[in-house]
Amino acid sequence: MSLKQFWTKKTLVGLGLGQFLSLLITSTGFSSSELSNRGINAPTSQSFLNYVLLTVVYGSVMLYKRQALKAKWYYYVVLGLVDVEANYLVVKAYQYTSITSVMLLDCWSIPSVMLLTFIFLKTKYRFRKIAGVIVCVAGLVMVIFSDVHAGDRSGGRDPRKGDLLVIAGATLYAISNVSEEFLVKNANRVELMSFLGLFGAIISAIQISIIERNELKSIHWTAGAAFPFFGFSLAMFLFYSFVPVLLKMSGSTMLNLSLLTSDMWAVIIRIFAYHEKVDWMYFLAFAAVAVGLVIYSGGDKEEDQHQCIAGVGDEDAGRSKHFDEEAGFDNINQEAIAGSSKTGDTSKHDCITNGKISETIENKNIGKDVQGQKS
């Protein structure tokens, strides 16, 4: 594979958007760690304002356009519950382990996402992508080993408990991401954000009233406490707003792999803001994450073309050879339009419309000639 084929436009846009989301996640990690250091332990309350913002902003757009629901409302109830608890577990983990460990252990969501997309979304992964994920997960093993054998360093009062909370939260994040990918491709981005915000806010409010009511009352609100609290909500709102864009373009696995680079920013925060010592194994984990991300994301366009050629070839094999040229051209157009509305067939549609298959181009030209003769 040449360098030009590897660094396609789709790859570069996906990596760029992924890094923007990565910076947002880094800022939420910094905010959560800062609140934990100040003795503010209200994970659900931190996410509540984000859900309210999603409801107000995207709900207003949906009401203005008077959009009809494209997915069942109870799908969003389940998604809201999973998302709220995922946020709760991960934010709670900052009380027990370091910011770097939390962000590195998030890569547990990657194999979870791949398994779920393979089972429910019928996504197929080539060996190169699987190899990239294996390299990334190697970093996960290094971090767990480091936390177990270096619990006395300044990484939290109970690193192993924190690690377990992050892994549980990352598993729920995987379920949430795959569900969002399905809904954003089959429903609507505005609808997804509106109802995720609505039911997320309702579930959060119930949970706050049960387990965080006293914690909120005991908080002494100062500028030092309010800034990271509301900064977390704003960063999460922007993150949730752009996640569906990357999910629709590149999928859940690419999203989770891109977020792993937030670990590098987390190390900078840990060294310069908290003056903590970083275990040498973290740097090996960073290298694994970077290499795995490049291996996974490179050459997406070429792979899509191979898949669409195979897909169209299978359909052509079953097509009758007795169609005349004009009928064959019309049939291809109809299949392209129908295929573009199905989840997972976008690459096939792009292949046909871009004229990447010589047989399609030939039929198209013949069809035009026949139409010209008739006119």
Side-chain angles (χ1 to χ4, degrees):
M1 183 185 297
S2 67
L3 186 63
K4 184 178 180 181
Q5 290 174 320
F6 192 85
W7 294 110
T8 62
K9 181 179 179 181
K10 180 180 178 181
T11 298
L12 293 176
V13 172
L15 287 173
L17 181 56
Q19 291 318 295
F20 174 67
L21 295 174
S22 179
L23 288 172
L24 291 175
I25 282 295
T26 304
S27 65
T28 62
F30 176 79
S31 300
S32 297
S33 184
E34 182 67 22
L35 290 171
S36 179
N37 291 339
R38 291 177 176 273
I40 300 175
N41 300 316
T44 310
S45 301
Q46 288 178 227
S47 302
F48 174 72
L49 183 58
N50 164 53
Y51 293 120
V52 173
L53 287 173
L54 290 174
T55 305
V56 172
V57 174
Y58 291 98
S60 299
V61 174
M62 191 172 179
L63 290 175
Y64 175 77
K65 293 183 177 181
R66 298 182 179 180
Q67 295 179 356
L69 280 180
K70 296 183 178 180
K72 301 295 184 181
W73 63 270
Y74 46 81
Y75 290 165
Y76 296 111
V77 176
V78 177
L79 176 60
L81 178 62
V82 171
D83 198 73
V84 168
E85 299 311 321
N87 286 328
Y88 174 81
L89 291 174
V90 172
V91 175
K92 187 76 172 177
Y94 285 97
Q95 301 175 28
Y96 302 101
T97 190
S98 67
I99 180 176
T100 313
S101 294
V102 171
M103 304 187 105
L104 277 171
L105 288 170
D106 271 347
C107 73
W108 174 257
S109 62
I110 296 169
S112 302
V113 162
M114 293 188 72
L115 179 62
L116 291 172
T117 52
F118 176 77
I119 294 174
F120 296 104
L121 301 185
K122 309 302 180 184
T123 303
K124 295 181 180 179
Y125 295 97
R126 289 179 174 267
F127 175 77
R128 174 173 53 81
K129 292 186 177 293
I130 296 175
V133 171
I134 291 174
V135 174
C136 289
V137 173
L140 166 69
V141 177
M142 293 178 193
V143 175
I144 295 178
F145 182 84
S146 177
D147 277 345
V148 170
H149 291 84
D152 57 341
R153 60 183 169 80
S154 57
R157 65 175 185 262
D158 192 348
R160 279 171 284 188
K161 182 177 181 179
D163 290 351
L164 291 175
L165 287 174
V166 177
I167 291 175
T171 303
L172 292 180
Y173 273 141
I175 298 173
S176 176
N177 290 159
V178 173
S179 301
E180 288 182 34
E181 180 180 351
F182 173 79
L183 290 170
V184 78
K185 289 179 177 179
N186 292 275
N188 180 275
R189 174 173 171 258
V190 174
E191 177 182 311
L192 171 62
M193 292 294 97
S194 300
F195 281 90
L196 175 59
L198 175 62
F199 292 113
I202 294 173
I203 295 170
S204 296
I206 296 173
Q207 188 161 307
I208 290 170
S209 65
I210 296 174
I211 62 177
E212 293 184 7
R213 181 174 53 188
N214 294 330
E215 181 67 29
L216 285 177
K217 291 180 180 179
S218 64
I219 295 176
H220 179 62
W221 292 103
T222 62
F227 181 76
F229 191 91
F230 292 104
F232 176 91
S233 298
L234 180 59
M236 287 294 285
F237 171 74
L238 292 174
F239 177 79
Y240 273 64
S241 297
F242 285 98
V243 159
V245 179
L246 186 59
L247 286 176
K248 190 170 186 177
M249 180 172 61
S250 301
S252 303
T253 307
M254 180 60 183
L255 167 65
N256 285 275
L257 284 172
S258 296
L259 297 183
L260 293 182
T261 57
S262 62
D263 308 329
M264 302 175 187
W265 299 107
V267 165
I268 295 176
I269 294 173
R270 184 173 175 181
I271 294 174
F272 293 100
Y274 298 119
H275 306 289
E276 295 180 2
K277 294 181 179 180
V278 177
D279 194 276
W280 65 271
M281 294 191 72
Y282 281 125
F283 296 101
L284 292 180
F286 297 157
V289 167
V291 171
L293 178 59
V294 172
I295 292 174
Y296 181 90
S297 61
D300 281 341
K301 185 176 181 181
E302 183 194 46
E303 181 171 313
D304 288 343
Q305 289 176 0
H306 286 314
Q307 290 175 348
C308 71
I309 290 172
V312 174
D314 291 340
E315 289 187 7
D316 287 344
R319 191 180 295 137
S320 174
K321 295 182 180 179
H322 299 289
F323 287 158
D324 60 34
E325 290 86 348
E326 184 176 7
F329 173 57
D330 291 338
N331 190 46
I332 291 174
N333 275 336
Q334 291 172 1
E335 290 180 358
I337 296 171
S340 65
S341 65
K342 297 180 181 178
T343 303
D345 286 347
T346 54
S347 60
K348 181 181 69 178
H349 176 254
D350 293 338
C351 183
I352 294 173
T353 56
N354 290 332
K356 298 296 182 182
I357 303 175
S358 59
E359 182 182 356
T360 304
I361 296 174
E362 183 180 354
N363 286 337
K364 180 178 179 181
N365 292 334
I366 293 173
K368 285 183 177 180
D369 292 337
V370 173
Q371 290 174 354
Q373 293 173 3
K374 288 184 177 182
S375 62

